[in-house]
Amino acid sequence: MISGVMPRRRRWFHVCVAGFIFLVFAAAAAVNGALLMPSHQPPVSPAMRVVALLFILLAIGVIAMQVWFRRRIIREFQYDGTTLRYRTLSLTELHSRFPSQLTAIREWTGRGGLMGYQLIFRDAPKAYLEDDTPNASALIDRLLEDIRSHDAQQVKNEQAKNQP
């Protein structure tokens, strides 16, 4: 059994960043929303109203991206050789995936280099596993082995079907 839990400092980092982003962009949306009010004195020009509306849409987009991101970062995982179970930062729901559902595992890189790994599933959204989560590299190595053995087994099955 391979398991790992994101360190508490990383979870707090993600909480603080998400909170900061939410506060900044919600405040910007509120300020720009005040400009759109018909009772605003002095009246705002139509061009300024368009700019304010664009800033509100930007704020909504950034907050939605943060929520999307938190739903894909793996907070904790367990892999028993047959099923990968994991929870993300924003959901307490336990996700279960089989290695056969993985289509690819890619390195997740940023400006500072390797950040972790992308787990790309056939029937589910991508999941991101940070490199500093304990046993992350052991999990990736084991999943890559299991994917290769599953692919080899499928090739054997296809060859057996095609032979008379």
Side-chain angles (χ1 to χ4, degrees):
M1 165 96 58
I2 300 172
S3 64
V5 177
M6 181 184 287
R8 186 174 298 243
R9 64 179 167 73
R10 289 299 297 171
R11 284 184 284 175
W12 274 107
F13 171 77
H14 285 291
V15 166
C16 291
V17 167
F20 177 76
I21 287 173
F22 178 79
L23 286 175
V24 167
F25 284 94
V31 167
N32 285 291
L35 293 175
L36 296 177
M37 295 294 163
S39 62
H40 190 271
Q41 294 296 328
V44 180
S45 70
M48 189 60 139
R49 287 183 186 269
V50 169
V51 170
L53 183 64
L54 290 175
F55 271 107
I56 291 170
L57 292 175
L58 174 70
I60 291 169
V62 169
I63 291 170
M65 284 177 16
Q66 185 65 31
V67 170
W68 176 90
F69 183 71
R70 291 182 55 76
R71 288 178 177 236
R72 283 161 180 76
I73 297 288
I74 294 175
R75 176 182 57 175
E76 61 184 90
F77 66 85
Q78 292 178 339
Y79 183 62
D80 59 7
T82 58
T83 306
L84 172 64
R85 293 178 181 85
Y86 64 91
R87 294 183 200 282
T88 60
L89 285 173
S90 67
L91 299 175
T92 57
E93 174 187 343
L94 184 66
H95 299 275
S96 295
R97 301 281 181 254
F98 298 110
S100 60
Q101 293 175 308
L102 276 166
T103 59
I105 297 175
R106 296 186 185 142
E107 288 185 348
W108 173 32
T109 57
R111 290 185 180 154
L114 180 67
M115 293 174 58
Y117 307 94
Q118 284 182 351
L119 304 171
I120 303 168
F121 299 103
R122 262 187 208 98
D123 60 343
K126 293 178 189 175
Y128 295 86
L129 179 62
E130 288 189 346
D131 193 39
D132 62 349
T133 301
N135 296 324
S137 56
L139 172 68
I140 296 303
D141 292 341
R142 179 70 188 271
L143 284 172
L144 288 171
E145 271 181 38
D146 291 348
I147 289 171
R148 279 188 224 112
S149 66
H150 177 73
D151 290 345
Q153 186 64 35
Q154 280 188 326
V155 168
K156 281 184 184 180
N157 291 344
E158 287 296 320
Q159 290 174 347
K161 276 192 215 177
N162 294 336
Q163 290 181 349

